[in-house]
Amino acid sequence: MSKISEVVQRARAAFNSGRTRPLQFRIQQLEALRRMIKERERDIADALAADLHRNEWNSYNEELVYCLEEIEYMLKKLPEWVLDEPVEKTARTQQDECYIHSEPMGVVLIIGTWNYPFDLTIQPMVGAIAAGNAVILKPSELSENTASLLATIIPQYLDKDLYPVINGGVPETTEVLKERFDYILYTGSTGVGKIIMTAAAKHLTPVTLELGGKSPCYVDKDCDLDVACRRIAWGKYMNSGQTCVAPDYILCDPSIQNQVVEKLKKAVKEFYGEDAKKSRDYGRIISSRHFQRLMGLIEGQKVAYGGTGDAATRYIAPTILTDVDPQTPVMQEEIFGPIMPIVCMRSLEEAIQFINQREKPLALYVFSQNDKVIKKMIAETSSGGVTANDVIIHLSVHSLPFGGVGNSGMGCYHGKYSFMTFSHRRSCLVRSLQKEDPFKDRYPPSPAKMTHH
């Protein structure tokens, strides 16, 4: 038996022992996870710096804080969520108990990703632990420092059998996916999402797929462009553009394109100085392959700002492209880098049509002082989530589900939605053996004549 099979079987045996069932055990493990994040904050920041050139402040505010807040929220709400949930009864079940009982799915596989390699691996795990599952973590091999740190520190704080970490590249992931799981949550690309779903189908394993897509950002003429462009620049160039919900491209009227460019440039200089390469807040591209891919997307475009890169350090300057032709490669794939194409649209209707001709994105952004524009954009398009007059922020709200639709994924998590994702909601009806009278008419023999009530 392979090492990976052994790890999965050990987790299954530990789950079957029943030790994850009591609320107290789950709370204990969540508290241990919180302690791990607080005590090893320095080590985590060092790993993120090595993987993505991220400083300590950014590591905390872009990753760790989300995990800590999720844990706090779970600890507060979990005693209420684990209770059986009574439901409305029908006329014939008035004397019965009818309720939903949440039970753990079993052994869950969480496949993390490299762009926020701590948060996007640990935050889903919080919900899976809260729901009482065994969890096998497979961090992304591209963020290798964070991956090896997770494999080192998680067993020091959490139950070793229930929450193992498996590291490795494509061969290991392929091997893991041959095993039978009760649930899989994967964060990453649409292409790999299809591979995960195919593997899951062999065992009829349900999946949550957190994928990406080109998240559009519509900027209305009726808008405070200074504020809008500062917020857009923040979301676009954070982590060097490697964010699944980053605004991918801007749609705006040609009459404001130049202003948008100038105001984006102004914001970028405020954030990162004249040379972003020297800024401690500006990230680097994860790998040479991604660096080459991104530089290729800039080729042949009208560069209004940036456009340069340094292969040795995998640095790409914050870049703005104007009058972009929608047929060019930069508009055909998710950019996932610090390149902002601007595509001109003559009207809101044209922008809505443009968005709807493409795959459904993970996020959609609209900037306008006119509430009707915002409501029309929400009513007539589809995306995983929406933020109006800002970017990214919708996924910091515990009470909003985070997930995609269509090509940007399926299923969701965060807050109670995580608990529900990793639980089976079991329908229960409990009836007394007394009082047989009300049920007499259901038994054969049936009356010869049909009587309509």
Side-chain angles (χ1 to χ4, degrees):
M1 190 197 300
S2 78
K3 192 169 174 292
I4 286 172
S5 291
E6 271 173 41
V7 170
V8 178
Q9 289 203 359
R10 198 158 57 240
R12 169 98 40 211
F15 173 76
N16 288 342
S17 76
R19 67 174 181 264
T20 65
R21 299 279 176 154
L23 172 64
Q24 210 31 57
F25 177 84
R26 305 177 194 189
I27 285 175
Q28 215 185 326
Q29 295 297 310
L30 290 172
E31 285 171 342
L33 190 58
R34 176 174 62 186
R35 205 171 64 245
M36 178 189 93
I37 297 170
K38 289 183 169 171
E39 289 177 4
R40 308 308 287 265
E41 193 184 311
R42 202 44 194 289
D43 298 330
I44 298 164
D46 289 347
L48 291 168
D51 285 329
L52 290 147
H53 192 261
R54 203 177 288 156
N55 68 36
E56 203 169 346
W57 191 91
N58 287 332
S59 292
Y60 186 80
N61 287 287
E62 291 168 15
E63 297 216 37
L64 303 196
V65 76
Y66 291 117
C67 295
L68 289 169
E69 284 177 1
E70 185 89 334
I71 293 170
E72 295 300 337
Y73 188 69
M74 288 285 175
L75 290 171
K76 192 173 101 195
K77 297 287 196 178
L78 195 55
E80 172 194 327
W81 293 343
V82 295
L83 299 174
D84 291 338
E85 197 181 308
V87 294
E88 202 183 323
K89 298 175 188 180
T90 59
R92 286 172 173 261
T93 55
Q94 289 304 313
Q95 304 307 311
D96 305 323
E97 260 187 282
C98 298
Y99 59 89
I100 296 166
H101 172 75
S102 292
E103 60 181 24
M105 296 297 285
V107 181
V108 169
L109 171 66
I110 293 174
I111 303 178
T113 187
W114 54 262
N115 59 333
Y116 293 90
F118 190 84
D119 176 56
L120 294 177
T121 310
I122 298 299
Q123 197 175 347
M125 185 192 199
V126 172
I129 292 174
N133 298 281
V135 186
I136 290 173
L137 283 189
K138 170 62 188 72
S140 168
E141 69 279 8
L142 282 177
S143 41
E144 57 185 349
N145 297 284
T146 307
S148 79
L149 179 69
L150 287 172
T152 305
I153 64 177
I154 286 177
Q156 294 172 13
Y157 290 85
L158 299 184
D159 185 298
K160 291 180 186 56
D161 295 333
L162 284 165
Y163 312 113
V165 180
I166 294 174
N167 270 329
V170 174
E172 286 78 5
T173 308
T174 307
E175 194 67 28
V176 172
L177 285 169
K178 288 181 184 154
E179 299 296 323
R180 181 177 182 166
F181 296 96
D182 301 295
Y183 206 94
I184 298 174
L185 183 142
Y186 164 78
T187 306
S189 69
T190 302
V192 177
K194 291 175 182 176
I195 295 170
I196 305 291
M197 203 169 171
T198 305
K202 291 190 175 66
H203 299 293
L204 284 182
T205 299
V207 293
T208 288
L209 302 176
E210 295 287 343
L211 312 175
K214 292 181 81 60
S215 298
C217 181
Y218 176 73
V219 182
D220 191 29
K221 277 193 289 195
D222 179 8
C223 185
D224 181 331
L225 286 178
D226 289 290
V227 174
C229 291
R230 187 184 302 119
R231 291 175 182 180
I232 293 166
W234 169 75
K236 179 67 179 187
Y237 300 111
M238 167 202 298
N239 200 27
S240 206
Q242 301 166 113
T243 305
C244 52
V245 286
D248 187 276
Y249 60 91
I250 287 174
L251 297 175
C252 70
D253 192 278
S255 67
I256 61 167
Q257 180 177 233
N258 288 342
Q259 285 182 70
V260 168
V261 170
E262 287 314 309
K263 290 177 194 305
L264 283 173
K265 275 160 61 171
K266 183 169 169 261
V268 166
K269 286 174 187 171
E270 272 173 32
F271 298 165
Y272 307 114
E274 287 295 330
D275 181 4
K277 195 177 187 185
K278 298 194 176 101
S279 164
R280 53 189 295 277
D281 287 299
Y282 193 74
R284 296 295 181 270
I285 304 304
I286 188 74
S287 67
S288 298
R289 186 173 71 86
H290 279 286
F291 174 86
Q292 297 302 342
R293 177 184 69 80
L294 287 161
M295 292 308 287
L297 295 179
I298 301 171
E299 271 169 39
Q301 294 288 352
K302 212 158 118 187
V303 177
Y305 186 66
T308 57
D310 171 38
T313 56
R314 301 193 303 277
Y315 162 82
I316 295 179
T319 297
I320 304 167
L321 310 174
T322 50
D323 298 312
V324 174
D325 173 355
Q327 302 310 313
T328 51
V330 78
M331 287 303 295
Q332 298 305 310
E333 61 179 82
E334 183 177 4
I335 296 168
F336 229 66
I339 302 164
M340 179 63 96
I342 303 177
V343 181
C344 290
M345 292 283 137
R346 302 260 163 210
S347 66
L348 173 63
E349 287 68 25
E350 192 187 341
I352 288 172
Q353 191 185 359
F354 184 88
I355 292 165
N356 289 338
Q357 281 166 346
R358 286 160 175 76
E359 294 291 355
K360 293 179 181 180
L362 185 55
L364 181 147
Y365 303 114
V366 49
F367 286 80
S368 178
Q369 321 236 46
N370 182 344
D371 202 42
K372 285 199 174 73
V373 169
I374 293 170
K375 293 291 188 267
K376 187 176 168 73
M377 185 59 98
I378 292 173
E380 297 183 16
T381 60
S382 176
S383 66
V386 176
T387 294
N389 293 327
D390 205 344
V391 293
I392 297 177
I393 307 295
H394 59 286
L395 56 91
S396 67
V397 183
H398 298 299
S399 45
L400 286 174
F402 171 59
V405 59
N407 256 34
S408 57
M410 61 185 69
C412 61
Y413 71 110
H414 286 189
K416 187 164 191 186
Y417 300 95
S418 287
F419 179 78
M420 287 164 74
T421 285
F422 294 117
S423 298
H424 167 57
R425 291 166 63 76
R426 195 176 186 186
S427 306
C428 301
L429 183 148
V430 180
R431 173 163 279 177
S432 156
L433 277 168
Q434 322 297 304
K435 304 199 192 83
E436 182 64 349
D437 249 23
F439 312 120
K440 280 212 308 271
D441 62 354
R442 75 181 188 184
Y443 299 119
S446 54
K449 231 183 166 140
M450 185 74 185
T451 49
H452 289 284
H453 297 296

